[in-house]
Amino acid sequence: MPRYEFRCRTCGDTFELSRPMAESSDPASCPAGHDDTVKLLSAVAVGGSSAPAPSGGGGCCGGGCCG
């Protein structure tokens, strides 16, 4: 289940909630009971492999045609 980060505007506390994606925009109360909260944008890192960048040859300055 995704975790969403919120910040309370009243006390400044930052907290996380686990909830279904369908409820991601629902209001949240902070642990201290305040209702004036805002959902924060979270950076998500997705692992995986990527092909290495090509090196040498091709292109004007990569192929030795400049000079």
Side-chain angles (χ1 to χ4, degrees), residues 11-27:
C11 66
D13 191 21
T14 300
F15 59 97
E16 291 183 352
L17 292 177
S18 293
R19 53 171 52 171
M21 291 174 78
E23 298 174 10
S24 67
S25 297
D26 289 357

Side-chain angles (χ1 to χ4, degrees), residues 3-46:
R3 296 184 61 81
Y4 299 96
E5 191 173 20
F6 294 85
R7 176 172 290 135
C8 177
R9 292 179 181 169
T10 304
C11 66
D13 191 21
T14 300
F15 59 97
E16 291 183 352
L17 292 177
S18 293
R19 53 171 52 171
M21 291 174 78
E23 298 174 10
S24 67
S25 297
D26 289 357
S29 295
C30 86
H34 306 121
D35 291 326
D36 188 12
T37 60
V38 62
K39 186 171 82 167
L40 303 176
L41 295 177
S42 300
V44 177
V46 177

